[in-house]
Amino acid sequence: MGQTITEKIFSEHVGHAVYAGEIIRCNIDMVIGNDITTPISIKAFEDSGATKLANPDGFSIVLDHFIPAKDIASANQARISRDFAKKYNLKNFFDEKDMGIEHALLPEKGLVVPGDVIIGADSHTCTHGALGAFSTGMGSTDLAFAMITGGNWFKVPESIKVILSGKPGKYTTGKDIILEIIRMIGVDGALYKTLEFTGSTIEYLNMDDRFSMCNMAIEAGAKSGIVAFDAVTKDFLADKNLAREPRIHYSDEDASYTQILEIDVANLEPVIAYPFLPSNGHSITQAVKDRIKIDQAFIGSCTNGRLGDLKTAAEILKGKRVHPDVRLIVTPGTQHIFQEASRLGYIDIIIDAGGVVSNPTCGACLGGYMGILGDNEVAVATTNRNFVGRMGSRSSKVYLANSAVAAISAINGYITDPR
């Protein structure tokens, strides 16, 4: 019987063929923690009596949610990870000296590669599936088990095949594709399944688009999202000092899927997810008709804080001014992205237009800091969730959109079609 790419990755790791539904024990190539979740893992690790990491080079800690520390509590939280990293001489420890949002930083560093099995104590760890890896979020105690043993238990997920056809329009992006998928199947439509993205559209999608799609697979309830290795992946990895040799897998033609979704991307408009669910998707045409006034536009997060997003924003903002009633906040995904955007002139354009550029952080996305919404405020954001109170006050509203929509809306003061 044919296998999906996900089944093949697990089969290689356990040394024999496995299929969806099987419970397996599997070694893990990269375990990822951040400043919020890792202290819990460290406590569990220490409480177990463990005295060494099973795979030190396969463990990364990225301080990205509240760094630089926003208050005493976050400073103390970060210190737990710093002390642990120092104690165990952790090679892959990233704080203010080499900053980045974990799901942007680790691919940039070559620490996650095709064919890997990756876990992280963060639900958006599924981002790394864009490289042709199995990557998923787990709890902090699951992370501790992997720190101690080098592996963990998995139920091999069933897969949904998403067939994307047609060339996307200029301002239709990976963000719009995944928002459309979530609109179609709902926030639990892929529960504990893999969303496998295929079809002719894939060749038109750069890595930024693919990361964005896999990042939000969890918003459909998926265990993971995945895109098979191709020329675009190869080009992205070409200048990286990879932690491991890539292991390339492709799904068999006779692989088994629980569902097949087909989407004509050529006719897909930019999609706006209205409050309070990522599945509450509407076309940009409808959003324009609804004339949604905004107080804040946010471009950033592990979904859309990459160089391509900043380029798009700069192209739209050049020579323009942010609306007097709007705050535009831009958060590059990593320091390297920040530097490249500066070198290319994007940062100057954003600032000249009236935007503010922050250090790399998850803060605004989760309503932590650097962009919290007040009572009854409305934001258009390139983030991944728009739940009640997600970015601040419980009476605030968040509309999810791509970077072009966020940028043009910042200029006009209401959600606008960038086309």
Side-chain angles (χ1 to χ4, degrees):
M1 186 169 68
Q3 291 181 300
T4 64
I5 183 173
T6 299
E7 291 168 333
K8 287 186 176 183
I9 290 170
F10 277 121
S11 295
E12 182 186 57
H13 277 72
V14 300
H16 60 85
V18 298
Y19 294 88
E22 292 186 42
I23 306 294
I24 62 168
R25 173 72 181 274
C26 176
N27 288 334
I28 295 167
D29 298 289
M30 181 55 66
V31 177
I32 308 167
N34 60 51
D35 48 320
I36 301 298
T37 57
T38 308
I40 304 169
S41 304
I42 290 170
K43 185 178 187 305
F45 177 91
E46 292 174 342
D47 287 350
S48 76
T51 57
K52 67 176 184 177
L53 293 163
N55 180 15
D57 290 349
F59 180 42
S60 295
I61 299 177
V62 185
L63 307 188
D64 59 1
H65 280 61
F66 295 138
I67 299 299
K70 74 180 184 74
D71 52 25
I72 295 169
S74 60
N76 288 333
Q77 186 91 338
R79 185 173 182 174
I80 294 170
S81 293
R82 286 195 177 96
D83 289 347
F84 186 86
K86 186 175 181 179
K87 179 178 179 179
Y88 289 94
N89 195 26
L90 198 65
K91 182 172 71 174
N92 301 319
F93 175 74
F94 304 98
D95 62 2
E96 289 92 339
K97 291 178 287 298
D98 197 355
M99 291 191 73
I101 298 172
E102 58 196 296
H103 309 311
L105 185 68
L106 296 190
E108 183 179 285
K109 297 290 186 184
L111 291 172
V112 286
V113 302
D116 275 0
V117 171
I118 303 157
I119 69 166
D122 183 276
S123 58
H124 293 105
T125 303
C126 47
T127 306
H128 309 295
L131 292 168
F134 174 82
S135 191
T136 194
M138 284 188 166
S140 294
T141 51
D142 294 304
L143 212 73
F145 184 78
M147 290 161 62
I148 296 164
T149 68
N152 218 314
W153 295 91
F154 296 86
K155 178 183 177 183
V156 180
E158 298 174 314
S159 293
I160 295 174
K161 188 175 188 177
V162 182
I163 303 174
L164 307 170
S165 60
K167 183 178 181 179
K170 182 178 180 181
Y171 290 118
T172 298
T173 69
K175 179 65 164 289
D176 304 294
I177 294 170
I178 190 61
L179 285 175
E180 175 67 3
I181 291 167
I182 299 166
R183 184 197 67 77
M184 292 170 65
I185 66 176
V187 292
D188 60 354
L191 204 60
Y192 209 98
K193 295 180 173 67
T194 291
L195 286 176
E196 183 179 323
F197 303 106
T198 69
S200 61
T201 303
I202 296 296
E203 66 179 284
Y204 299 111
L205 301 178
N206 60 31
M207 286 306 303
D208 291 358
D209 288 315
R210 298 175 188 199
F211 283 128
S212 187
M213 287 161 52
C214 289
N215 174 275
M216 289 191 66
I218 182 62
E219 310 309 336
K223 189 68 174 170
S224 63
I226 198 163
V227 181
F229 181 95
D230 64 4
V232 174
T233 328
K234 184 178 180 180
D235 287 346
F236 175 80
L237 296 173
D239 63 346
K240 308 287 187 296
N241 183 20
L242 299 181
R244 287 163 297 285
E245 190 69 26
R247 291 154 290 179
I248 312 303
H249 301 283
Y250 299 98
S251 293
D252 295 324
E253 288 188 11
D254 59 341
S256 178
Y257 296 91
T258 60
Q259 185 180 356
I260 295 178
L261 295 176
E262 297 189 46
I263 299 175
D264 178 9
V265 177
N267 292 313
L268 181 65
E269 288 189 283
V271 178
I272 311 298
Y274 283 35
F276 290 98
L277 286 173
S279 59
N280 192 14
H282 296 70
S283 69
I284 187 66
T285 298
Q286 182 61 52
V288 170
K289 287 179 182 177
D290 291 340
R291 197 164 179 82
I292 301 160
K293 188 177 184 301
I294 64 169
D295 300 288
Q296 179 169 298
F298 177 78
I299 299 171
S301 86
C302 59
T303 316
N304 286 111
R306 294 180 170 80
L307 189 62
D309 297 293
L310 274 60
K311 177 183 179 183
T312 295
E315 288 174 349
I316 290 171
L317 290 164
K318 189 171 185 179
K320 307 287 199 311
R321 287 290 296 175
V322 171
H323 192 279
D325 297 335
V326 176
R327 307 179 300 271
L328 171 62
I329 301 170
V330 178
T331 300
T334 69
Q335 291 285 59
H336 176 70
I337 291 171
F338 200 148
Q339 287 178 313
E340 280 296 290
S342 181
R343 183 180 66 82
L344 294 166
Y346 306 156
I347 301 300
D348 284 345
I349 291 171
I350 292 166
I351 293 173
D352 288 345
V356 60
V357 182
S358 83
N359 60 277
T361 175
C362 304
C365 176
L366 67 143
Y369 80 142
M370 303 287 274
I372 295 174
L373 298 176
D375 293 342
N376 301 309
E377 288 194 315
V378 176
V380 60
T382 67
T383 55
N384 39 48
R385 288 179 178 155
N386 57 348
F387 306 151
V388 173
R390 171 67 178 180
M391 288 185 71
S393 170
R394 290 184 63 81
S395 64
S396 64
K397 294 180 180 179
V398 177
Y399 292 80
L400 302 180
N402 69 37
S403 299
V405 172
I408 193 67
S409 300
I411 294 168
N412 291 333
Y414 55 89
I415 293 180
T416 304
D417 189 339
R419 299 172 300 173

